[in-house]
Amino acid sequence: MRILKSSFAVVERRAEHAVKFFYSHLFWHNPGIRELFPASFEDMERQRDRLFAALTHVVAELESEALLPYLRDLGRDHRKFLAGPEHYAAVGTSLIAALAETSGNAWTPQAEKAWTEAYQMISDAMAEGADAGEDPPWWDAEVVRHLQYGQDIGVVTLKPLLPFPYLPGQYASVSSERVPTTWRTYSLGNAPRPDGTVDLHVSRIEDGRLSTALVRDTRPGDMLRLGAAGGQLVLRREDRPVSLIAAGTGWAPVRALLEELAEHPPDQDVRLFVVARDSAYLYDRPLIDAYAEACAWLGVTYITPAPGQHRNQATDRLATALSNRALWPDQDVYLSGPAPFIEETAYLLEELGARPGRIFHDTVPGAGRGNGPGGRPLGFGEWFLNRPAPHWHNPSGRAPRP
C-alpha cells in the first residue's frame, strides 16, 4: 500500500502526461482497440478525465472493504463497452508503461511489482463482475416521444425492448448511433410505469455531441442504448419531513421522487425548492403547480434571479430561502444538480443544522467543460459554478431486478 500510494503521488503531479502517454501506448500497440473509443478530440479528453478519476478513486480506496464491490460493479458496467479479457490485458500493459514513464525515481523494481499485482487484482475483480449476474450489457430502447423546451432542453421518452430495472431517483448511461462509442449519464425523470417507458431529461452542453443529438436531432422511432441504472438518490421512507432541492435538469430525479411520494403519500410534510437560471427554464412548472394544488403535504418554492440580474443570483436567492426555513435537523434532504451546486448547498445545509447523514445526493458524471480561462460554456443545467471535477460513473446503486 505504501509503495503504491507514494509512487502514485508522483504520478498525480504529472497526471495529464500520464494519461496521454497511456492512451498513446495503448492505441499504438493495439490499433484495433481504438475503434471502441470515441472518435472526437473533445470526447477523448473527457475519457482521459474519467480514467484518471477512476484510478485516483481506486488508489484512495485501496484499504477499503468497499473497493472490491466497486470494481465488480465497474466490470459489470464495462460490458456495454464490449470489454473482454484481451482488453484488460492490453490496458494493464499500457498502464504499467505510463506509470513507469511518469513516476521518475519513484519507479523501482518494488513499485513495478506492487503495481503489477495491484492491477491483476483490479482486473480480476472487474472480470468477476462482468461474468456475474443476468443483466444484458445494455438495453435497447425505442424513442416513443421527444419534447424540446427552447434550444437546450429535451425530454426523451423511451420504451426499452426488455424490462429495465430502476428505482425512482436513479440515472442511467445512454448511447446513440448518432454519436457512436460515446456514453453519457442522464437522470431518469419518472417513477416506474406500467408500460415500462422511461423519460430522460437532457441538458444540451455546448459542443456536447451526444447531448446536442438527443436534444435537437433525436426523433420517435430512433433506437438508443441504456446502461444499467445506478445511483443512491432514492427515498429512505424514514417517516421524517423531507426537503427536495433541484437545480437545472437535476429536477429529473427529484420529479421521479415526487411521483413516488404522490403515489404513496407521506405522513410528514415535503418542501420542494426548484432552482433555474430564469423563469423560462422552469419547463415543468405546470406539473409542479398541479402537484402543489393536489397534495396538501407539499410546499413549493421557485428560485430564479430577479429580472435583469445575472443568472448566478439564483444561488444567492436559494441560500436566503434555505436560511429562512427552520427545522433542518429534522429533515431528510435530497439534493440534485451540478456537482459544485450540490457541494456548496450541502455545506450550507450543514451550517444551518442539517445532519450530514441525512443529506442525500449523487454526483452524476458531468458531460461538458466549464467556463474559465480557455473553457467552453456549460449548458444551463451546469451553469452554477465552474467545471466540476471529473467523476467516474459508479453503478453501485443498481436497482434490484423485478
Side-chain angles (χ1 to χ4, degrees):
M1 299 295 182
R2 179 184 58 80
I3 293 173
L4 290 171
K5 291 187 175 183
S6 62
S7 62
F8 189 70
V10 177
V11 174
E12 280 188 300
R13 295 195 289 270
R14 306 182 67 195
E16 184 173 2
H17 175 62
V19 177
K20 288 183 176 179
F21 186 96
F22 165 79
Y23 279 110
S24 297
H25 188 280
L26 180 65
F27 296 155
W28 177 262
H29 292 281
N30 306 275
I33 288 182
R34 180 64 183 89
E35 65 186 25
L36 300 180
F37 288 82
S40 76
F41 174 78
E42 291 82 3
D43 286 339
M44 276 306 300
E45 279 193 320
R46 297 178 187 119
Q47 179 67 29
R48 287 194 288 267
D49 284 349
R50 292 189 178 95
L51 169 72
F52 204 81
L55 188 58
T56 301
H57 176 81
V58 168
V59 173
E61 298 295 321
L62 281 171
E63 298 173 87
S64 170
E65 294 181 356
L67 179 59
L68 284 178
Y70 167 82
L71 291 171
R72 293 187 189 107
D73 285 332
L74 204 57
R76 189 182 305 127
D77 193 60
H78 265 61
R79 292 188 303 157
K80 69 176 184 247
F81 301 114
L82 303 178
E86 69 278 13
H87 303 121
Y88 285 110
V91 164
T93 299
S94 295
L95 178 62
I96 297 300
L99 293 168
E101 168 70 16
T102 51
S103 290
N105 293 333
W107 192 255
T108 63
Q110 293 81 7
E112 182 172 2
K113 181 175 184 293
W115 275 107
T116 300
E117 292 176 353
Y119 182 75
Q120 189 62 52
M121 180 274 293
I122 291 169
S123 61
D124 286 348
M126 291 182 66
E128 182 182 339
D131 292 337
E134 301 177 358
D135 287 342
W138 60 74
W139 284 258
D140 290 313
E142 181 182 0
V143 177
V144 295
R145 187 177 65 168
H146 181 277
L147 300 176
Q148 185 171 337
Y149 299 91
Q151 295 296 309
D152 295 328
I153 292 293
V155 177
V156 184
T157 301
L158 303 176
K159 173 68 173 176
L161 303 188
L162 295 174
F164 179 67
Y166 70 99
L167 299 172
Q170 291 193 307
Y171 55 80
S173 51
V174 181
S175 182
S176 168
E177 292 182 355
R178 296 179 184 273
V179 190
T181 70
T182 296
W183 290 82
R184 293 285 178 267
T185 305
Y186 297 104
S187 296
L188 306 176
N190 60 282
R193 297 169 176 150
D195 66 359
T197 58
V198 60
D199 292 343
L200 301 177
H201 288 225
V202 182
S203 173
R204 191 186 75 85
I205 304 299
E206 192 70 26
D207 294 331
R209 297 169 66 236
L210 182 57
S211 64
T212 298
L214 292 175
V215 171
R216 297 185 176 178
D217 302 326
T218 298
R219 298 290 181 267
D222 288 357
M223 297 296 295
L224 302 180
R225 288 176 173 178
L226 295 175
Q232 304 289 338
L233 193 68
V234 295
L235 285 174
R236 271 61 180 182
R237 291 288 184 178
E238 297 291 347
D239 195 29
R240 288 192 288 263
V242 169
S243 289
L244 308 170
I245 306 173
T249 45
W251 158 244
V254 169
R255 171 178 169 155
L257 298 179
L258 192 57
E259 281 191 10
E260 182 180 1
L261 287 166
E263 182 70 20
H264 305 284
D267 295 327
Q268 302 283 350
D269 289 340
V270 175
R271 307 190 296 202
L272 171 63
F273 301 84
V274 185
V275 188
R277 69 178 186 180
D278 63 53
S279 57
Y281 287 88
L282 295 171
Y283 60 98
D284 249 351
R285 182 161 186 165
L287 175 76
I288 300 170
D289 289 342
Y291 273 126
E293 183 176 350
C295 304
W297 42 265
L298 178 63
V300 177
T301 302
Y302 295 107
I303 308 290
T304 59
Q309 296 299 309
H310 191 274
R311 58 192 183 184
N312 286 3
Q313 191 195 49
T315 51
D316 297 333
R317 285 190 152 192
L318 174 65
T320 300
L322 298 181
S323 300
N324 289 336
R325 300 299 195 276
L327 305 176
W328 287 112
D330 301 327
Q331 299 282 316
D332 279 355
V333 184
Y334 296 84
L335 279 175
S336 183
F341 169 82
I342 290 174
E343 182 179 357
E344 289 209 346
T345 305
Y347 177 80
L348 172 62
L349 289 168
E350 290 183 35
E351 291 290 301
L352 294 174
R355 301 184 185 184
R358 295 182 184 176
I359 301 175
F360 307 109
H361 58 81
D362 281 324
T363 303
V364 179
R369 296 190 171 278
N371 295 315
R376 294 185 293 264
L378 291 167
F380 93 88
E382 300 188 35
W383 58 262
F384 288 92
L385 292 171
N386 290 333
R387 174 191 180 192
H391 294 273
W392 186 254
H393 168 53
N394 180 2
S396 61
R398 299 165 74 89
R401 294 185 63 82

